[in-house]
Structure formats: structure tokens, C-alpha cells
Amino acid sequence: MKVINTVAALKSLLGPIRSAQQKIALVPTMGALHKGHVSLIEVAQQHAEVVVCSIFVNPTQFTDPKDLEKYPRPLEHDMAMLEQCGCDIVFMPSVKEMYPGPENWHIDLGPAEFLLEGEFRRGHYQGVTQIVKKLFDVVSPDIAFFGQKDFQQVLMIQQMVSYFNLSVQIITCPIIREEDGLAMSSRNIHLNAQDRQNALVLSRALYNVKDHFDLGRIPELEAKARQMIEATQGVKLDYFVIVDGLTLEPAELPYGKQLVALVAAKVGETRLIDNMILAEQ
Ligand code: PAF
């Protein structure tokens, strides 16, 4: 496994690979890797000859400086995980390398940018799409892999790809859950034993909606899920909604391509998100 820290070194490593017509996959991460990330790398390995995993805690997507400061950075553990799953290249640039000077960035991500996570974390998706665009520029991947857990993030990245008319293919991989249902997340590390237990209400509420899903009962199902979460001590609900998977607007009949339930809540001091696709056509 090669560990690369500069844009120039990565470009010169990837140049001959691209000339040899080998497919390059990118798995962008902020480190603190878990089985969800490993699953992205494993799927990427099935689609491309060379897999690049980037580890970069991107400052421009943090709307709370304290959140950036306390973001976990278990580097040795990450390296061991990547080595073990056979990742080819790790790209680990410094902040200066990715942001050599001040940048004003704004692209039109459409109205969904300001809904749900976008409403709670204003500017977050400008930061996410900014760094993902930069990584795409450096790596020029044929395919890039993202987890469905950050459902809205994938939507915004797809929007950015279409805005710049990029040729990269975006693949969304399923959420990986712990045995008890908790969605894997780098932030789970911050949960104490009680929070960890309380956090289970999020996946339980999602499964409850999925198990009883009926297009005619959406408001009732949303209300039940909110009630379950709000009744759990130590959990502060931000939203639980069933929305159109493309617009993030409230689900209406006839529904579009996809209906998804999205939830965000603060569990103890840690903000968690999760989701579940309810219907697809
Ligand atoms: O999902 C993440 O870890 C980050 O938002 C991403 C896509 C790596 C951009 O910094």
C-alpha cells in the first residue's frame, strides 16, 4: 500500500495507471475508519483495478469548530485497516496541500441543499462538494464510492457532478449496521455506554416505519417514529421525515423514484444521522 501526501506525487503515481487504461476508483473518507468504509473499499475493488482511499478531515465542511477539533483521527488504526483490506493507495494530504490559499466557493446545489441536514448545518454541503471536487480533480477517478448513510451528501455530490458535467460515476453503497441495528459511523466512538444504548432508538424507529410501511399512512408513521425517539431519555430529535429521495421534499402521491425516511438526533453530545429507503420504483 502506498501512502501519498501531495497532489503532485499522487498525480505522477496515477498517470501511468491511467495511460495503461486501468480503472481507478476513489473512496473519499475523513478517516476514523470502520466496517462501513471497508465495505466501500471492497465494492470499489470489484469495480476497478486500482483503489485510492483519501483520508482528509476537511475543515470547510464543519459548521462547528468544536466538532472539527474533536473529530477522531486514529491514524495507526486506519492504516492497519486499509492495509488489511488491500487498499492500493492512501492519499493523506495536509490542509495546506488541499487549500493553498483562500477560496470563495459557491455552486448551485439546488433547493435540497438547505433542507434537513442543510438547514441544521448551513454551508456544510458547499464544503463537502468543494473537497470532493478537489479530490476528483486530483485523482480523476472513473468511479467514486460513498455510503448511503450520508444520504443527502450523496445527493449533493451527484448534483455537483452534474453541475460540472464530470464523467465520474457515483456509486452509493448500503449502510453497514452493528448487530443491534446501530448504523456504523465514525462518530459512534464518542458515545458512552448509555448513549450507545439510547442511540438504538433511531434504527428501531426506522425499522418500525419500514415494517409497517404503507403509502397511505405516512403522517401516522412519521408521528409514531418521532414519538418513539422523543420518549427516549438523552436523545434530542432534530427531524424524522419521510421524503422524496430526489428532492427531499415531503412524500406525496404519486411518489417519485424513491421514498426515504431520514432521521437526525443528538444522542448525549453526539449528533447522529441515519436513514432507510422505504420504496423504490
Ligand atoms: O463522508 C465523509 O466522510 C466526507 O463528507 C467526505 C465525503 C469524505 C468529504 O470530506
Side-chain angles (χ1 to χ4, degrees), residues 105 107 129 133 159-166:
W105 174 272
I107 63 165
T129 48
K133 171 72 168 59
Q159 197 70 32
M160 182 273 284
V161 165
S162 97
Y163 181 88
F164 288 110
N165 203 13
L166 305 179

Side-chain angles (χ1 to χ4, degrees), residues 167-226:
S167 59
V168 58
Q169 183 189 356
I170 304 295
I171 296 192
T172 311
C173 299
I175 298 175
I176 305 294
R177 298 183 179 279
E178 304 282 359
E179 261 178 35
D180 58 10
L182 182 70
M184 292 203 183
S185 161
S186 304
R187 290 172 196 271
N188 292 352
I189 217 169
H190 296 308
L191 300 171
N192 64 29
Q194 186 59 58
D195 293 340
R196 171 75 185 66
Q197 193 56 31
N198 295 343
L200 293 179
V201 73
L202 304 185
S203 54
R204 284 199 192 120
L206 287 167
Y207 277 115
N208 188 61
V209 167
K210 174 106 180 156
D211 292 346
H212 299 95
F213 188 63
D214 172 345
L215 281 171
R217 291 178 55 209
I218 287 177
E220 191 190 321
L221 290 169
E222 284 177 331
K224 170 74 189 155
R226 287 175 194 142

